[in-house]
Amino acid sequence: MTRRQCTGEYKIKPIKKQVRALLGYPYPARIPREVFVEQWVGISTDEFHRAKDADVKYMRNRHPLIDLGWSRTDCVRYLSSLNLADTPKSSCLGCPFHGNSQWRHIRDTSPAEWADVVAFDAAIRQGNARANASGNPLLGEAFLHRSRVPLADAPIDHVTAAEWAAMQQELGDDEDPATLEEGVTDGCSPWACRGDADALTRDDFGLAT
Ligand code: SF4
């Protein structure tokens, strides 16, 4: 997995910009200590380790599901009672943490979105044009699917035993087979990226802003 700026660039920075606008203190205005927003983040009790404070004083995170003591199962039960049992995990369309079931769901239910992610996958093959030009070229090629096969041809329907054995060797023994099918269990929120949050840098979180 290469370095990603998705959460920082496309979630945290725009949220901070909008919060500053709502508070009436656009960047780089200094925001008084007593002026802040309360931001509710839907982290359940089974993933309490993902509940984090915001990194700026003008945003204070609350975690209402943890306050209620609700687990993921409690959330599903509640959604089911509202006929919303098929609510998907929150994530971006072209997330590299998707498993096969999520890729199939996009392909089989939304041809336009599938065409979008296939085109996106092709577009990232040589990495980030700006990084390449500035002397930080991508070494190798980038793919959205774990098989490192273009998404349009990736084995998202059926993985043969031989393919599985080859992938297992490449991925290492600690790769959970369920991850290949189901993807990363967690959904993604600005303050709890579904990837490895510990691997993110200050820049990922837009701390410069
Ligand atoms: S779902 Fe999260 S980890 Fe995946 S691409 Fe979006 S921001 Fe990045």
Side-chain angles (χ1 to χ4, degrees):
M1 184 62 73
T2 63
R3 181 173 178 275
R4 291 161 289 110
Q5 292 120 302
C6 43
T7 291
E9 282 296 316
Y10 302 124
K11 294 181 175 179
I12 295 179
K13 277 188 185 173
I15 288 173
K16 285 180 174 173
K17 190 172 172 196
Q18 181 63 12
V19 166
R20 278 181 162 277
L22 290 169
L23 292 175
Y25 293 89
Y27 181 81
R30 195 184 151 277
I31 304 177
R33 180 172 291 271
E34 66 277 10
V35 176
F36 62 92
V37 296
E38 187 175 278
Q39 184 173 242
W40 288 22
V41 186
I43 300 286
S44 56
T45 53
D46 10 23
E47 47 181 16
F48 73 93
H49 56 281
R50 303 176 75 210
K52 300 198 170 90
D53 290 332
D55 56 17
V56 288
K57 292 201 169 55
Y58 60 87
M59 293 160 74
R60 296 189 189 174
N61 286 355
R62 286 279 309 274
H63 302 96
L65 298 178
I66 290 179
D67 294 345
L68 285 167
W70 278 24
S71 65
R72 185 183 292 262
T73 307
D74 294 320
C75 296
V76 171
R77 193 176 297 127
Y78 176 69
L79 288 168
S80 300
S81 75
L82 301 175
N83 290 324
L84 295 170
D86 54 356
T87 302
K89 299 173 201 171
S90 54
S91 69
C92 300
L93 200 54
C95 180
F97 293 106
H98 283 339
N100 286 338
S101 68
Q102 288 155 306
W103 292 126
R104 283 196 305 273
H105 181 75
I106 298 171
R107 181 196 63 189
D108 298 343
T109 61
S110 178
E113 289 181 329
W114 178 245
D116 187 345
V117 288
V118 166
F120 176 62
D121 174 64
I124 65 171
R125 201 73 70 236
Q126 304 310 322
N128 178 321
R130 201 170 48 185
N132 286 336
S134 66
N136 294 302
L138 180 70
L139 304 176
E141 295 180 314
F143 296 89
L144 285 179
H145 193 265
R146 284 161 184 264
S147 63
R148 277 165 273 164
V149 169
L151 191 54
D153 305 317
I156 63 172
D157 281 302
H158 177 64
V159 181
T160 65
E163 285 169 339
W164 176 248
M167 263 188 287
Q168 192 73 23
Q169 248 181 351
E170 281 190 37
L171 294 170
D173 287 339
D174 45 355
E175 181 76 24
D176 181 359
T179 306
L180 187 65
E181 175 62 13
E182 298 299 334
V184 168
T185 317
D186 297 326
C188 199
S189 98
W191 305 102
C193 178
R194 71 190 302 209
D196 177 10
D198 293 337
L200 297 176
T201 66
R202 285 175 66 81
D203 184 43
D204 290 320
F205 285 94
L207 291 184
T209 62

